[in-house]
Amino acid sequence: MLNLCIALLEQSRAANETSQELINCRLIVLRNQMEDVKRNLQETEVFLLSVQDLVNQAAHTAYLARAEYSSIALSERLQSALLEVNRIKAATKELENDMVQLQAVLIVESGNSLK
């Protein structure tokens, strides 16, 4: 989604006024969708923190019941999910930085064209 937004920003650099309006509308829709995705990611993080507490308690109980394998398997699955969420967050942050830099270039270029 962020890649599409960056591509639209690149297109807007060479667009005429009518196509610029269409690109701006698409950008608004994409930004709303990105905010929804960010909100869902944050909710997932909160959920995973709750699950992590539950897994820790379950692992402790499994250990006391001499079922170490199940506690280890559950902990590994949770760790894998947490790593995937962190990977997605890092990739999103990098793309957001790219988008902000492109927007800064567009602002400078539009300011120079007004002169």
Side-chain angles (χ1 to χ4, degrees), residues 26-114:
R26 288 181 182 168
L27 284 170
I28 290 169
V29 169
L30 278 174
R31 285 182 180 134
N32 285 335
Q33 290 174 348
M34 286 188 313
E35 287 302 317
D36 290 342
V37 169
K38 279 180 165 180
R39 191 172 26 261
N40 289 339
L41 185 60
Q42 287 175 339
E43 289 174 4
T44 302
E45 282 183 289
V46 170
F47 174 71
L48 282 176
L49 289 175
S50 298
V51 170
Q52 187 174 21
D53 290 339
L54 182 63
V55 166
N56 288 337
Q57 294 302 318
H60 182 68
T61 303
Y63 178 77
L64 293 176
R66 297 183 183 188
E68 292 89 7
Y69 175 76
S70 60
S71 68
I72 291 170
L74 185 58
S75 295
E76 287 176 352
R77 287 188 179 126
L78 176 65
Q79 185 63 30
S80 175
L82 289 171
L83 288 173
E84 183 65 18
V85 167
N86 288 336
R87 186 192 64 77
I88 291 170
K89 280 176 49 179
T92 302
K93 190 70 167 172
E94 185 177 323
L95 285 171
E96 283 177 339
N97 288 338
D98 292 346
M99 191 172 72
V100 166
Q101 289 175 353
L102 183 57
Q103 287 173 333
V105 168
L106 287 171
I107 290 169
V108 168
E109 286 177 357
S110 64
N112 289 338
S113 68
L114 292 175

Side-chain angles (χ1 to χ4, degrees), residues 8-28 31 106 109-110:
L8 284 172
L9 286 170
E10 286 286 348
Q11 288 176 7
S12 73
R13 293 174 80 176
N16 59 26
E17 197 171 311
T18 51
S19 60
Q20 181 70 35
E21 227 174 282
L22 180 62
I23 289 172
N24 287 339
C25 289
R26 288 181 182 168
L27 284 170
I28 290 169
R31 285 182 180 134
L106 287 171
E109 286 177 357
S110 64

